[in-house]
Amino acid sequence: MKILLTGANGYIGTRLLPLLLDAKHQVVCMVRDSRRFAAQSDLVDQVQIINGDLLNPDSLNEIPDDVDAAYYLVHSMSSSDEGFSDLEKKSSVNFASAIKKTKCKQIIYLTGIANDEHLSKHLGSRLAVEDELKSSGIACTILRAAIIIGSGSASFEIIRDLTEKIPVMVAPKWVKTKCQPIGIRDVLGYLTGVLHNQKAFNETFDIGGPDILTYKNMLLGYAKERGLKRWIITVPVLTPRLSSLWLNLITPVPYSLAKSLVDSMKNEVICKDDRIKEVVPRLCLTYVQALHLAFEKIDQNSIVSSWKDALNRGYLQTDFMDQIKVPQNGTLEYKVKMPFERKAEEVFDNIWSIGGSRGWYFMDWLWQLRGFLDKIFGGVGTRRGRTSNIDLQAGDVLDFWRVLLADKKNKRLLLYAEMKVPGEAWLEFKLVEFHGQAFLSQIATFRPKGLWGRMYWYAMWPFHIVLFKGMAKQITTFQPES
């Protein structure tokens, strides 16, 4: 069949795409920036790519009219805009309007379990999306899941961060809320299983694993599997705002996402029935089994996709790839040109491994402090790390940077700052040769926003002198442990 896949470079879409291709379907990937998709995916030659922004109905005209089915896998949960529910509704209205002009026979939508009477703002907005998609007149299959456990999933990363880093947790009362986690493998199994399945047309299914657990159970269950002793003390005084700030500081999630998650954790997310088993028979993984699969992927450095690679600045940020051309006018620069005698491949391997668990080579504590301050002021901080320790692709997250260009052939890495700064910042590494001498070229570029931006740059200048020279020196001399 011919399948329209929205959110093709998102956490779910990236993992679903190869399964659809393996099943011999023709896939049309709708993304907001085809450059990012082309840079990240090895499957670019096997699919048709179209640019489309669901907030702009005119951009949806590229959707082919002969698609047989469509996956709706987009949402604005991490948007910093307080009106994310309005964005959700507008997106679904535009999609429904566009898709009903085609020959599409089925829309498949993955959303959250919404069985409580008093839903959080986030779950309520997802329920409204269901209604809009159904208004298209096309048969809809709604799959409602609780938290998804898999390498790179936001839920797994939060559980891992909290459990690994905090021996004694003082937690709000929402840790006693019950939920029914499901492994990413089973989510994908259901997404493919309902495709063109007549029994799934115009149906809404709750999907979940076999375990019903509280969030406290899940944290302690993770600790047990990792051989960690952990204690959780629940108190009633932590408000949703304090809980969101706490989650923001301890885990990689930005405040906007933490706020949406905490708000939703007051609702029990448990399957009200198991009718999906009659439509797509499958033995789902237990919570512990899903954890072990995630551990394996992390140990093998084979995380397929991560929630962190979604665009940090919210649903409307579609043009970050435009920053790949570092501006020359109206900018301030700090350049380091460091000679070296080693093999170029060894030096570039150090560049390729920067950030994450490797760190920034010199005065790493200062980078961590900058990340902490960024978190305090509502930024992303450095806790996001990197998706893979051994690979980089355009669009990847790298601590509080976004990878714009990862050119291994020409030995160049270009990063764009997502931290809170009064302007825009780029950091470029490349290896060059001049008169037979090899150099590491390291350029920090800043485009200030107003007078405050210039004051910020010059206030940081003393740190730049020490930090960037030291980092360049370490990159050219660092020897990783064998």
Side-chain angles (χ1 to χ4, degrees):
M1 292 186 293
K2 192 169 187 176
I3 311 297
L4 175 66
L5 179 62
T6 65
N9 48 10
Y11 178 73
I12 300 292
T14 299
R15 295 170 184 241
L16 180 61
L17 176 55
L19 300 181
L20 297 175
L21 293 176
D22 286 345
K24 307 302 180 186
H25 297 303
Q26 181 183 353
V27 183
V28 180
C29 295
M30 189 176 81
V31 295
R32 285 175 284 163
D33 194 326
S34 59
R35 295 170 298 177
R36 182 186 176 209
F37 181 85
Q40 286 187 309
S41 179
D42 295 331
L43 304 173
V44 64
D45 295 330
Q46 302 179 45
V47 300
Q48 178 184 348
I49 308 171
I50 60 173
N51 284 309
D53 183 349
L54 291 173
L55 293 176
N56 178 9
D58 293 336
S59 73
L60 306 183
N61 294 329
E62 286 189 52
I63 297 177
D65 64 0
D66 59 342
V67 294
D68 297 297
Y71 283 96
Y72 191 82
L73 302 176
V74 294
H75 66 84
S76 55
M77 185 174 180
S78 61
S79 173
S80 59
D81 190 322
E82 288 299 317
F84 74 87
S85 57
D86 294 331
L87 297 180
E88 291 267 73
K89 183 172 182 179
K90 184 177 180 181
S91 297
S92 56
V93 167
N94 291 340
F95 180 79
S97 177
I99 201 68
K100 67 183 179 183
K101 298 175 184 177
T102 72
K103 299 175 183 177
C104 182
K105 303 176 185 65
Q106 183 187 22
I107 297 172
I108 300 171
Y109 173 46
L110 178 64
T111 182
I113 291 179
N115 295 330
D116 274 8
E117 289 185 9
H118 304 289
L119 294 174
S120 69
K121 185 177 180 181
H122 166 65
L123 290 176
S125 72
R126 303 296 277 161
L127 204 59
V129 170
E130 291 183 21
D131 294 335
E132 294 300 337
L133 295 179
K134 290 174 182 176
S135 72
S136 67
I138 298 169
C140 287
T141 301
I142 312 296
L143 297 179
R144 295 176 174 175
I147 69 172
I148 298 173
I149 302 298
S151 59
S153 77
S155 302
F156 174 79
E157 294 284 348
I158 290 171
I159 291 169
R160 180 171 69 159
D161 248 39
L162 291 175
T163 311
E164 297 277 0
K165 295 177 180 178
I166 309 176
V168 180
M169 282 179 256
V170 178
K173 59 185 179 181
W174 53 252
V175 295
K176 295 181 179 180
T177 304
K178 292 180 181 179
C179 67
Q180 196 164 345
I182 183 170
I184 180 61
R185 179 175 296 185
D186 295 314
V187 173
L188 296 172
Y190 285 131
L191 283 169
T192 54
V194 297
L195 178 62
H196 203 54
N197 186 330
Q198 296 286 338
K199 295 180 181 179
F201 281 23
N202 294 312
E203 293 287 352
T204 299
F205 302 103
D206 290 347
I207 60 174
D211 301 313
I212 297 177
L213 306 166
T214 64
Y215 293 105
K216 181 178 180 178
N217 293 151
M218 286 189 288
L219 292 167
L220 294 177
Y222 179 101
K224 181 180 178 181
E225 295 308 309
R226 298 294 279 180
L228 302 170
K229 292 287 186 181
R230 294 294 183 261
W231 292 268
I232 300 176
I233 304 168
T234 57
V235 294
V237 295
L238 287 178
T239 65
R241 177 174 172 77
L242 286 174
S243 298
S244 302
L245 289 169
W246 171 71
L247 204 61
N248 171 237
L249 288 174
I250 300 300
T251 73
V253 298
Y255 177 74
S256 55
L257 177 55
K259 187 172 180 293
S260 294
L261 289 172
V262 168
D263 189 36
S264 297
M265 284 174 176
K266 69 184 181 184
N267 295 122
E268 285 195 348
V269 279
I270 300 172
C271 301
K272 67 178 180 181
D273 60 52
D274 57 2
R275 292 181 302 112
I276 187 65
K277 293 180 180 179
E278 301 170 8
V279 179
V280 185
R282 121 175 245 109
L283 186 63
C284 289
L285 299 171
T286 65
Y287 173 64
V288 170
Q289 289 172 330
L291 284 180
H292 280 289
L293 278 179
F295 295 153
E296 288 176 14
K297 295 296 183 184
I298 293 169
D299 291 341
Q300 296 166 3
N301 282 305
S302 57
I303 301 176
V304 177
S305 61
S306 171
W307 72 273
K308 294 178 289 190
D309 292 330
L311 300 187
N312 166 62
R313 294 187 181 180
Y315 193 88
L316 296 174
Q317 182 76 3
T318 63
D319 59 352
F320 83 95
M321 289 293 284
D322 291 339
Q323 311 300 334
I324 199 166
K325 292 183 179 179
V326 181
Q328 302 298 313
N329 298 319
T331 60
L332 302 165
E333 291 184 336
Y334 186 83
K335 297 181 179 180
V336 177
K337 198 173 182 181
M338 186 67 62
F340 62 89
E341 303 297 334
R342 302 172 63 188
K343 292 181 179 179
E345 289 74 16
E346 293 176 350
V347 176
F348 192 71
D349 282 345
N350 286 341
I351 296 173
W352 207 248
S353 303
I354 201 167
S357 58
R358 173 70 66 88
W360 293 83
Y361 294 103
F362 184 73
M363 296 181 72
D364 206 48
W365 64 270
L366 194 57
W367 290 92
Q368 296 301 323
L369 176 61
R370 180 64 178 85
F372 176 75
L373 293 174
D374 194 52
K375 277 276 191 177
I376 291 292
F377 288 98
V380 296
T382 57
R383 293 188 184 276
R384 297 184 303 176
R386 44 187 288 168
T387 301
S388 170
N389 290 325
I390 60 175
D391 194 23
L392 284 176
Q393 296 177 326
D396 281 358
V397 155
L398 205 167
D399 292 345
F400 45 37
W401 301 89
R402 179 77 58 171
V403 178
L404 288 180
L405 182 69
D407 187 349
K408 209 165 189 177
K409 181 180 178 182
N410 294 305
K411 296 181 173 53
R412 183 180 176 220
L413 177 65
L414 179 62
L415 308 177
Y416 180 65
E418 288 194 310
M419 68 191 85
K420 292 281 187 178
V421 288
E424 294 177 286
W426 293 258
L427 183 58
E428 181 183 40
F429 303 89
K430 62 181 176 181
L431 301 188
V432 297
E433 188 173 319
F434 186 69
H435 292 319
Q437 173 67 59
F439 293 89
L440 163 63
S441 171
Q442 184 178 289
I443 305 173
T445 304
F446 185 66
R447 180 160 60 185
K449 186 176 181 180
L451 178 61
W452 170 234
R454 289 185 173 273
M455 291 175 62
Y456 168 84
W457 173 262
Y458 290 116
M460 295 298 293
W461 186 261
F463 297 100
H464 291 165
I465 294 174
V466 177
L467 188 63
F468 287 132
K469 281 187 177 179
M471 182 169 65
K473 181 67 175 177
Q474 284 293 99
I475 288 173
T476 58
T477 59
F478 180 79
Q479 295 277 8
E481 295 180 6
S482 57

